[in-house]
């Protein structure tokens, strides 16, 4: 978006708080929605609202996979790795923000365009679309599994509604997801400012905390009555296969903090963008605390029986009073949490798809027809995907995880190595090389391990 399309008030805001965008600057995005603070009368997002929105972007379905990393690494190395990747994520976001300020751009695509031209911007948008569509389909599948049950493994696992009311047409998967889409997703997708989602984001983070509190309470009760043992603090290494298995947790940890595609949108809506680094640190600190607490208490509770998706552990008897009620509370809170994460991820998906399809058009938020058509089209695709693909975890790891590490680590590092603004230090470049190597190796491990798993399943007659 050029400066000519900004309102006078918005132009003053940019002059006060951001480096002014030169309307003739090359390689900047043209007429994009993310480049404007477009709503009249909007005085700027609050610090707390920005923290909740960024935290909600981070904490999604990945929280349920982290306890399984403790089973592989042990609590000591596992917690250390969660903290390490939080610092690595902060470094990658700071790289983006520094080049944003130096290049006077206002979007992630703008920074990529500044470094690598039109191809760089398009590549970033493709990765965001691939990643976010995969993430949202997974979210909807999990919501369907929790509420209506699933038979994807060949054995039917009852959902909460089926357990409460029995099997009826109105609590079947397709109808429940349709109602959820119409009642929850569609209204929240209509908001044109990410700051409008601050209350649902706060509730979403609160529900993640509820999950941690319930899990911690159950664990403490079982510790007191002596029904669980102390967990392993170190990994079990017996042969080279066990050493190789340690690396399979890296993709989970790499993708646990991906939020980069919403950083600029949140930054642009702040009244004072100098707060952005503090917002990033606060959000990462909050999410790291939730991640560590979830991983610690869930692994302590289930031990070596911890499943890849720890939510599945809460479908069995916990061995304490009101076990069934607590299981339902955990699953319902998590399903609602994902419903409220959906719109914040959808927001970035819609912007980037619009950038791919209509790169020269005016701001999306000023074109109600285009805004509605893209929103409806995306919601329909995600809904159909969730209904016709019973389980897409393997596909998600092949595509979504690869796109996610590009967004979170490879692209920020490549921008720094390209150093179009000549501001990178030697330390920045060393860190960038490390991030690229780590991201590439983690993806290679993920793809190899998933391909090997699928190959073994195809050979195993019990899976045929």
């Amino acid at each position: 978006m050029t400066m000519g399309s900004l309102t006078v008030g918005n132009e003053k805001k940019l002059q006060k708080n951001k480096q002014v965008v030169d309307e003739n600057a090359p390689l900047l995005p043209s007429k994009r929605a993310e480049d404007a603070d477009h709503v009249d009368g909007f005085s700027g997002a609050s610090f707390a609202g920005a923290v909740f929105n960024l935290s909600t972007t981070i904490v999604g379905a990945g929280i349920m996979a982290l306890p399984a990393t403790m089973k592989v690494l042990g609590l000591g190395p596992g917690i250390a790795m969660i903290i390490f990747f939080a610092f690595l994520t902060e470094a990658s976001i700071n790289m983006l923000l520094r080049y944003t300020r130096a290049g006077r751009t206002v979007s992630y695509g703008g920074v990529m365009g500044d470094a690598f031209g039109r191809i760089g911007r398009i590549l970033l948008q493709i990765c965001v679309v691939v990643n976010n569509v995969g993430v949202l389909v997974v979210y909807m599948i999990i919501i369907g599994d929790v509420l209506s049950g699933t038979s994807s493994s060949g054995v039917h696992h009852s959902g909460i509604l089926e357990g409460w009311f029995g099997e009826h047409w109105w609590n079947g998967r397709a109808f429940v997801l349709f109602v959820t889409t119409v009642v929850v997703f569609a209204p929240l997708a209509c908001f044109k400012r990410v700051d409008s989602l601050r209350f649902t984001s706060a509730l979403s983070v609160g529900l993640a905390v509820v999950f941690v509190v319930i899990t911690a309470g159950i664990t403490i009760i079982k510790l007191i009555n002596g029904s669980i043992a102390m967990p392993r603090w170190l990994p079990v290494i017996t042969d080279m296969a066990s050493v190789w298995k340690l690396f399979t947790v890296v993709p989970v940890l790499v993708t646990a903090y991906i939020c980069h595609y919403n950083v600029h949108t949140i930054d642009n809506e702040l009244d004072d963008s100098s707060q952005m680094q503090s917002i990033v640190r606060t959000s990462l600190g909050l999410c790291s605390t939730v991640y560590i607490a979830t991983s610690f208490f869930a692994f302590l509770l289930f031990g070596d029986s911890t499943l890849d998706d720890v939510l599945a552990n809460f479908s069995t008897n916990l061995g304490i009073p009101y076990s069934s009620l607590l299981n339902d509370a955990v699953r319902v809170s998590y399903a609602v949490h994902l419903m409220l994460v959906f719109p914040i991820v959808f927001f970035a998906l819609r912007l980037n798809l619009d950038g791919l399809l209509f790169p020269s058009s005016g701001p999306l938020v000023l074109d109600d027809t285009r805004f509605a058509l893209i929103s409806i089209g995306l919601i329909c695709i995600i809904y159909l995907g969730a209904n016709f693909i019973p389980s897409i975890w393997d596909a998600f790891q092949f595509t979504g995880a690869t796109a996610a590490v590009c967004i979170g680590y490879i692209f920020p590092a490549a921008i720094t190595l390209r150093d179009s603004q000549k501001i990178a230090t030697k330390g920045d470049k060393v860190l960038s090389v490390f991030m690229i190597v780590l991201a590439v190796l983690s993806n290679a491990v993920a793809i190899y391990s998933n391909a090997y798993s699928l190959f073994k399943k195809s050979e195993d007659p019990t899976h045929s």
Side-chain angles (χ1 to χ4, degrees), residues 137 177 187 255 280 296 346 362 369 413 426 429:
V137 172
L177 288 181
T255 57
V280 170
F296 178 83
F346 185 86
T369 300
K426 184 177 180 180
K429 294 187 176 181

Side-chain angles (χ1 to χ4, degrees), residues 22-316:
D22 182 359
E23 64 180 356
N24 297 315
L27 301 179
L28 291 180
S30 174
K31 298 183 179 181
R32 303 308 320 138
E34 64 264 39
D35 298 345
D37 184 7
H38 47 267
V39 179
D40 293 337
F42 177 56
S43 58
S46 66
F47 183 93
V51 167
F52 285 128
N53 281 328
L54 191 59
S55 298
T56 300
T57 306
I58 297 171
V59 180
I63 189 175
M64 292 299 156
L66 287 174
T69 67
M70 301 297 111
K71 183 172 68 172
V72 176
L73 297 175
L75 280 179
I79 292 173
M81 291 296 284
I82 290 175
I83 295 172
F84 169 75
F85 277 102
F87 282 107
L88 197 64
T89 300
E90 182 189 358
S92 68
I93 293 175
N94 283 340
M95 288 177 182
L96 282 180
L97 291 176
R98 284 170 57 201
Y99 279 91
T100 296
R101 307 291 188 251
R104 297 183 295 179
T105 56
V106 288
S107 70
Y108 195 163
V111 182
M112 281 292 287
D114 191 38
F116 299 104
R118 179 172 171 269
I119 297 300
R121 181 181 177 88
I122 291 174
L123 187 59
L124 180 277
Q125 290 170 333
I126 290 173
C127 284
V128 173
V129 169
V130 170
N131 177 73
N132 290 25
V133 167
V135 165
L136 293 178
V137 172
V138 168
Y139 286 2
M140 197 176 284
I141 286 175
I142 296 174
I143 292 168
D145 290 348
V146 170
L147 297 180
S148 298
T150 178
S151 301
S152 60
S153 62
V155 178
H156 181 68
H157 296 276
S158 297
I160 291 174
L161 296 178
E162 188 177 311
W164 288 351
F165 305 107
E167 190 173 351
H168 300 283
W169 67 269
W170 51 267
N171 58 20
R173 185 186 194 87
F175 187 75
V176 167
L177 288 181
F178 176 78
V179 172
T180 303
T181 300
V182 172
V183 175
V184 181
F185 298 150
L188 292 177
C190 292
F191 288 115
K192 296 184 177 181
R193 275 191 290 111
V194 72
D195 185 63
S196 301
L197 299 170
R198 63 190 182 280
F199 297 116
T200 57
S201 293
L203 180 57
S204 174
V205 173
L207 289 170
V209 174
V210 167
F211 170 78
V212 173
V213 170
I214 294 175
T215 305
I218 296 170
T219 305
I220 291 170
I221 291 173
K222 298 196 74 173
L223 275 174
I224 293 173
N225 63 29
S227 57
I228 57 176
M230 290 302 293
R232 285 185 295 102
W233 284 92
L234 295 172
V236 176
I237 300 176
T238 56
D239 52 23
M240 282 305 297
S242 60
V243 173
W244 179 254
K245 188 176 181 181
L246 297 177
F247 292 93
T248 63
V249 304
V250 175
V252 176
L253 293 164
V254 166
T255 57
Y257 291 100
I258 299 300
C259 60
H260 304 61
Y261 50 79
N262 266 337
V263 167
H264 288 84
T265 305
I266 293 170
D267 181 34
N268 292 338
E269 292 186 3
L270 286 173
D271 183 51
D272 181 4
S273 65
S274 66
Q275 295 179 317
M276 194 60 203
Q277 286 191 333
S278 297
I279 289 167
V280 170
R281 292 193 187 101
T282 304
S283 299
L284 289 173
L286 174 62
C287 294
S288 298
T289 302
V290 171
Y291 282 167
I292 291 171
T294 300
S295 302
F296 178 83
F297 288 112
F299 181 52
L300 191 62
L301 178 59
F302 299 113
D304 287 334
S305 298
T306 303
L307 299 175
D308 291 342
D309 180 1
V310 76
L311 194 65
N313 285 106
F314 288 95
S315 61
T316 58

Side-chain angles (χ1 to χ4, degrees), residues 391-455:
S391 177
I392 65 161
W393 287 108
D394 293 321
F396 175 60
Q397 289 175 15
F398 276 117
T399 58
T402 303
V405 295
C406 286
I407 296 166
Y409 300 101
I410 293 177
F411 289 163
I415 289 167
T416 302
L417 292 175
R418 181 79 167 183
D419 196 20
S420 59
Q421 302 299 325
K422 308 301 179 185
I423 60 173
T425 64
K426 184 177 180 180
D428 292 333
K429 294 187 176 181
V430 170
L431 180 59
S432 298
V433 171
F434 172 76
M435 284 197 296
I436 290 176
V437 171
L438 178 63
V440 171
L441 288 180
S442 67
N443 274 334
V445 169
I447 292 172
Y448 173 81
S449 61
N450 286 321
Y452 181 77
S453 175
L454 288 174
F455 179 74

